[in-house]
Amino acid sequence: MSVGSLTAKVVLDNPKHIYCGNEEAVTGHVLVRYHSMSSAELFGPLAVSVTFRGRAKSKIYKNNGNNRTIYRGRAPLFSFSKSIFDGPIKMVPNEAKEIPFALSFPGAIQQVLSQGNWDADGRFSIDVGDPLPPTFNIVYHGFAHRFDAFTEYRICTTLSMRGIDIKLPNADDESNSALVPYEQHPTPKSQALPLPKTLNHNVRLQNALLMPEASRPTGFKAKTKALLSSDYYPEYHFDVLTLCPQKLFLGQPITLEIRVQPNDARSTAPVRPDITLSAGVLVSIQAQTVARAERGIFSSPESSGNETVLTLTASSPDLQEPFGKANDWTKVVVTKPIFGVPSGFSTYNILRRYTVKVSFSVLAAGKSTKVEKELSVMILPPVEGEAANGDHGRGGSMAGPSRHVVGDDDAEVLPGYERPPEYGDGHSIDEVGSAAGKMDLRKGKANAVAV
């Protein structure tokens, strides 16, 4: 006859915290509760273990007339188990106990898939020693493409009581587990180089404002002649050079250098007109996600989607001042720091990469010219040491149309790097509680927790 049941739930000490790399331990506890219709105490040997695993999954939807086929891709990243308690336990009905744990992410991917299940493709890679991808989730429903893809890291728990007839929780029940947000290991300072690239845009102006006021046509006849003559008005040529970084770092702003370079050799205007930025500089970060499934009869089914994940405004104190010798014909504009997107990554079945689109207008001789440039970029993890000094704190988010935000809604911060306290190993719940002079397995907290 069963004496009742035990339930267990994994609880993280800081469920909103994003862990960068493996230097910081993931801490929490397994909350074990005893349920029974009688008032009898439960006494016996209890074993509690936790399993920490990471995986990348994709699901591709293909429509063929009225039929839909779903193709799946599964890529395990790592999995390991750890015993966190093995000893006698004594509990009364409805009593709960916390059993602490401290786990660390592995330094790299630990599981390798069979290459025979996947087509060779240089865009996708996952090998032992490659970095773990960041936590990511997308549900994409486009006009011609539909797919789901995610990477996740989860801690599950398993209970056992040898020789006692008691109902135990299902180890495969993910409702009792906890998801751990993750971002890739911080970028070493020696590698935190922006690698700027120059994007060129040529501007040609030709109108009456480029002429001295006394020489401008007046009257219907003169204006008609000017309109019908291609060389009546002088020309002014200049290049707009935008220096844009090819490497972007989470938690850092994007710095752009906009330079105007007059082309006097091609210009016929007697004077140089004032050249200004007519409005702010918009910087859009666009993401492309490619998902694929394991190889079918002929090939690996694949789907992709594009989305704008972040739009920032770049500004500077002298934004409205004309370009000229005083500022070396150059303006440096800066956005707010980048938050809310994961760094770029690639696994066997998911590819995430980014493009930056820079848009602004220059005003000269009464004409506004729109400059719009795109550049493929790499979005990399935070620079090493910057979050550790408390500049950004903690927080962050995942990406995708169906976006799961981790952290405060208004907080634009990165994970902190404060090292968690060390936990001691115990042999039995009652022994540890007695030795500490408390009822808890951890210092200064009650062991029997009412929830």
Side-chain angles (χ1 to χ4, degrees), residues 314-335:
S315 61
S316 69
D318 64 340
L319 190 66
Q320 302 302 322
E321 296 295 324
F323 289 91
K325 290 184 179 179
N327 52 31
D328 196 25
W329 298 89
T330 302
K331 292 185 183 295
V332 177
V333 294
V334 182
T335 71

Side-chain angles (χ1 to χ4, degrees), residues 51-56 74-81 106-115 118 125-133 152-154 346-349:
T51 298
F52 196 7
R53 70 167 186 251
R55 59 179 178 167
R74 300 174 178 87
L77 304 172
F78 70 86
S79 180
F80 65 87
S81 298
I109 291 169
Q110 294 186 339
Q111 291 184 260
V112 181
L113 298 181
S114 171
Q115 291 281 0
W118 304 88
S125 64
I126 189 170
D127 294 304
V128 169
D130 282 354
L132 292 170
E152 71 169 23
Y153 302 94
R154 188 181 294 271
S346 172
T347 69
Y348 258 134
N349 54 336

Side-chain angles (χ1 to χ4, degrees), residues 83-84 104-105 191 212 292 310 313 318 356 359 415 441:
S83 174
I84 60 173
S104 294
F105 279 90
Q191 300 177 17
R292 66 171 182 168
L310 193 62
T313 300
D318 64 340
V356 159
S359 304
L441 288 176

Side-chain angles (χ1 to χ4, degrees), residues 119-326:
D119 289 334
D121 191 324
R123 297 173 300 167
F124 300 91
S125 64
I126 189 170
D127 294 304
V128 169
D130 282 354
L132 292 170
T135 304
F136 171 75
N137 178 42
I138 185 172
V139 176
Y140 189 88
H141 291 174
F143 176 74
H145 295 270
R146 181 179 178 185
F147 65 91
D148 307 337
F150 69 82
T151 60
E152 71 169 23
Y153 302 94
R154 188 181 294 271
I155 299 177
C156 308
T157 187
T158 303
L159 306 185
S160 66
M161 293 196 76
R162 298 179 298 275
I164 296 182
D165 185 9
I166 187 170
K167 184 179 179 182
L168 299 174
N170 185 349
D172 296 326
D173 185 358
E174 292 188 346
S175 65
N176 299 324
S177 65
L179 288 171
V180 185
Y182 179 79
E183 180 49 71
Q184 297 184 71
H185 194 279
T187 305
K189 288 186 176 181
S190 61
Q191 300 177 17
L193 304 175
L195 293 181
K197 182 175 182 179
T198 301
L199 309 174
N200 186 31
H201 184 90
N202 179 258
V203 179
R204 173 184 174 272
L205 303 176
Q206 187 180 27
N207 59 35
L209 296 179
L210 294 172
M211 304 174 68
E213 188 172 356
S215 303
R216 296 172 187 171
T218 59
F220 176 77
K221 185 176 180 180
K223 290 183 178 179
T224 301
K225 180 182 178 181
L227 288 173
L228 296 177
S229 176
S230 62
D231 58 354
Y232 186 91
Y233 294 123
E235 296 182 6
Y236 186 71
H237 293 258
F238 62 93
D239 294 317
V240 180
L241 309 178
T242 305
L243 208 62
C244 182
Q246 298 179 81
K247 285 186 177 181
L248 309 179
F249 303 94
L250 295 176
Q252 287 194 355
I254 302 173
T255 300
L256 303 172
E257 185 177 294
I258 301 174
R259 176 183 290 270
V260 167
Q261 194 172 72
N263 191 334
D264 294 333
R266 298 183 61 188
S267 300
T268 58
V271 294
R272 287 176 174 174
D274 284 342
I275 303 172
T276 61
L277 292 173
S278 61
V281 179
L282 288 182
V283 181
S284 299
I285 297 179
Q286 301 171 328
Q288 182 190 44
T289 305
V290 183
R292 66 171 182 168
E294 296 175 41
R295 188 170 61 199
I297 299 176
F298 301 108
S299 62
S300 296
E302 181 180 306
S303 189
S304 64
N306 299 313
E307 53 179 333
T308 298
V309 294
L310 193 62
T311 300
L312 302 169
T313 300
S315 61
S316 69
D318 64 340
L319 190 66
Q320 302 302 322
E321 296 295 324
F323 289 91
K325 290 184 179 179

